[in-house]
């Protein structure tokens, strides 16, 4: 992809090139007024002088009459460069080749000398300007001017695009989760106003996200207080309560407590951008510890070392196993494998699996399939799985298996 400042600069250079080309082409086919002056002067001089074969005395007399009142030197040369008539001091011979049949100026030791070529091959030379000699000089000046504009425009274009690049970096930082990202406001043009608008928008987003985070944290904290009182009341009921009622209350309390934990963790993963406290871990051993919490879970794999946050990776595995317990059918399978420098966690069960149309939906926060019914849970478990995997440089997805079933696949960078 071509950088923006290069596109601006190439557009400017191309415009200059087209301008020079159009000007030169127009000059070539139409001729300029200066060159037409040279052609006219050449014809007038030729008409005023006798033919080229006339005696030198006749040409000398005609030249004296033609230049009457001019204090400068004037000389007529034949096609071989020999002097046929002269007024004043001797002048240098004309150039060997005429330029497009028009006059041209050459430098000489005694000052510039101007030449007008005649149609019969003779040359008229004078120390006073007598013709217009603009074509070659005009082309050179026009080309040099275009080059100068192109060179001077580069730092200007680069300065504008550099401010846009800094604005792009600010947008990317904000998109990556750095809520404090701001850009410097430079100048008073549209780019500066865009930077001001970005800073205002980033400030509002930061306030909204921080307020949302504070609300979640406070609400979760407040929920724990009544949960603790309810748990204490259930414990004090002892044997006097209906066992089924007591079991249902304990299950509801556990689910509420789990939901509070998941909301807090999701909020922290959404808003905290600092680097994880990574340590080297044995993924197979970590999976074995979590699988031991559940019945009918079969673990298979090899020892693979990864770097990451042990607490978050335990939650990742636990959420996958909890999802299989809620929505699948035993036995549940967990496999740890290595693939192209990545550790791959695959979890599946004997149930029907997830329909292909729901492969992405199941990772949305608070998404509950209609067919899940009372087993739906909070809808945050798989969303947290993907968030944790991506915070570790990996990803999570749902993949098809044989017979219409599906599995969950998590990839994490493995230690070499």
């Amino acid at each position: 992809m071509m950088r923006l400042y290069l596109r601006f600069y190439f557009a400017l250079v191309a415009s200059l090139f087209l301008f020079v080309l159009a000007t030169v082409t127009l000059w070539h086919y139409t001729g300029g007024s200066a060159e037409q002056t040279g052609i006219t002067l050449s014809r007038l001089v030729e008409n005023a002088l006798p033919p080229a074969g006339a005696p030198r005395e006749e040409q000398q007399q005609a030249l004296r009459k033609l230049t009457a009142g001019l204090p400068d030197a004037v000389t007529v040369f034949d096609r071989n460069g020999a002097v046929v008539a002269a007024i004043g001091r001797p002048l240098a011979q004309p150039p060997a080749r005429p330029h497009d049949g028009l006059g041209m100026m050459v430098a000489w030791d005694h000052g510039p000398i101007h030449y007008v070529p005649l149609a019969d091959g003779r040359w008229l030379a004078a120390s006073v300007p007598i013709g217009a000699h603009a074509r070659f000089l005009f082309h050179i000046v026009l080309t040099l001017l275009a080059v100068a504009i192109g060179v001077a425009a580069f730092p200007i274009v680069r300065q504008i695009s550099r401010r846009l690049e800094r604005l792009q970096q600010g947008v990317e930082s904000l998109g990556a989760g750095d809520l404090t990202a701001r850009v410097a406001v430079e100048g008073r043009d549209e780019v500066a106003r865009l930077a001001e608008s970005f800073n205002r928008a980033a400030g509002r987003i930061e306030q909204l996200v921080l307020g949302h985070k504070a609300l979640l944290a406070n609400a979760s904290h407040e929920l724990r207080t009544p949960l603790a009182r309810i748990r204490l009341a259930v414990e004090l009921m002892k044997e006097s309560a209906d066992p089924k009622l007591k079991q249902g209350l304990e299950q509801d309390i556990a689910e509420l407590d789990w939901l509070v934990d998941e909301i807090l963790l999701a909020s922290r993963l959404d808003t905290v951008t600092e680097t994880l406290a990574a340590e080297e871990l044995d993924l197979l051993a970590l999976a074995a510890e979590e699988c031991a919490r559940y019945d009918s879970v079969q673990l298979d794999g090899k020892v693979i070392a990864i770097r990451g946050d042990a607490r978050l990776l335990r939650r990742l595995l636990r959420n996958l196993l909890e999802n299989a317990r809620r929505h699948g059918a035993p036995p549940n399978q967990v496999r740890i494998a290595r693939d192209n420098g990545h550790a791959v966690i695959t979890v599946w069960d004997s149930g029907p699996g997830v329909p292909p149309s729901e492969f992405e939906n199941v990772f949305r926060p608070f998404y509950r399939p209609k067919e899940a019914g009372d087993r739906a849970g909070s809808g945050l478990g798989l969303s947290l799985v993907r968030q944790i995997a991506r915070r570790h440089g990996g990803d999570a997805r749902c993949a098809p298996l044989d017979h219409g079933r599906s599995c969950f696949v998590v990839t994490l960078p493995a230690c070499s």
Side-chain angles (χ1 to χ4, degrees), residues 189-212:
D189 53 8
E190 289 82 356
V191 178
R193 289 197 293 271
L194 180 60
E196 292 176 350
S197 299
F198 169 77
N199 290 339
R200 286 195 300 269
R204 287 195 294 267
I205 292 173
E206 183 180 14
Q207 292 176 0
L208 290 173
V209 172
L210 292 179
H212 174 68

Side-chain angles (χ1 to χ4, degrees), residues 23-38:
T23 304
V24 171
T25 303
L26 184 64
W27 188 290
H28 177 74
Y29 284 104
T30 63
S33 59
E35 292 184 346
Q36 291 297 332
T37 302

Side-chain angles (χ1 to χ4, degrees), residues 207-219 264 267-268 271-272:
Q207 292 176 0
L208 290 173
V209 172
L210 292 179
H212 174 68
K213 179 183 176 182
L215 177 62
L216 285 177
N218 293 332
L264 285 174
S267 176
R268 189 170 71 87
T271 57
V272 177

Side-chain angles (χ1 to χ4, degrees), residues 255-375:
E255 288 187 2
L256 282 173
D257 200 25
W258 180 271
L259 176 59
V260 169
D261 283 343
E262 291 200 328
I263 291 175
L264 285 174
L265 180 57
S267 176
R268 189 170 71 87
L269 290 176
D270 279 337
T271 57
V272 177
T273 59
E274 64 265 15
T275 306
L276 295 173
E279 57 180 317
E280 188 166 324
L281 304 168
D282 182 352
L283 184 59
L284 183 62
L286 209 63
E289 293 176 8
E290 292 303 318
C291 290
R293 297 173 178 267
Y294 299 87
D295 298 330
S296 303
V297 176
Q298 300 176 3
L299 175 63
D300 179 34
K302 59 173 67 175
V303 175
I304 301 177
I306 64 171
R307 293 192 64 82
D309 188 311
R311 185 174 61 86
L312 291 179
L313 291 174
R314 288 181 189 275
R315 175 57 69 91
L316 180 148
L317 291 164
R318 192 177 307 167
N319 284 7
L320 287 173
L321 294 171
E322 185 66 22
N323 180 77
R325 184 188 69 81
R326 283 179 178 271
H327 305 288
N332 301 324
Q333 307 285 336
V334 179
R335 184 173 63 227
I336 308 296
R338 179 187 288 269
D339 182 27
N340 293 329
H342 285 81
V344 181
I345 306 171
T346 308
V347 179
W348 73 98
D349 55 70
S350 302
V354 180
S357 60
E358 300 289 320
F359 278 4
E360 280 299 314
N361 290 334
V362 295
F363 290 101
R364 287 164 45 194
F366 298 106
Y367 177 77
R368 298 178 178 88
K370 294 181 180 179
E371 61 273 11
D374 295 336
R375 303 173 301 160

Side-chain angles (χ1 to χ4, degrees), residues 34-168:
E35 292 184 346
Q36 291 297 332
T37 302
I39 296 174
T40 302
L41 176 62
S42 175
R43 179 61 61 186
L44 291 175
V45 170
E46 185 177 355
N47 293 337
L49 293 176
R56 291 191 177 185
E57 292 77 7
E58 184 178 352
Q59 296 195 41
Q60 178 70 27
Q61 184 179 0
L63 180 62
R64 183 177 295 106
K65 184 178 180 181
L66 179 66
T67 60
L70 293 178
D72 299 277
V74 180
T75 304
V76 177
F77 298 91
D78 63 14
R79 64 176 62 252
N80 297 320
V83 177
V84 294
I87 301 296
R89 61 183 176 84
L91 298 179
Q93 290 184 352
R97 298 173 57 190
H99 181 68
D100 294 339
L102 301 177
M104 63 184 301
M105 183 176 69
V106 293
W108 193 251
D109 293 341
H110 300 288
I113 303 175
H114 301 266
Y115 297 92
V116 176
L118 307 182
D120 57 13
R122 288 179 294 176
W123 286 80
L124 178 69
S127 59
V128 62
I130 57 173
H133 324 291
R135 172 176 291 186
F136 182 74
L137 181 61
F138 174 78
H139 293 173
I140 293 296
V141 171
L142 188 63
T143 303
L144 292 178
L145 182 61
V147 171
I149 293 175
V151 172
F154 182 82
I156 300 175
V157 173
R158 189 69 185 98
Q159 181 184 11
I160 296 175
S161 65
R162 190 176 288 114
R163 289 192 293 157
L164 291 175
E165 290 174 2
R166 285 194 285 267
L167 183 59
Q168 177 193 5

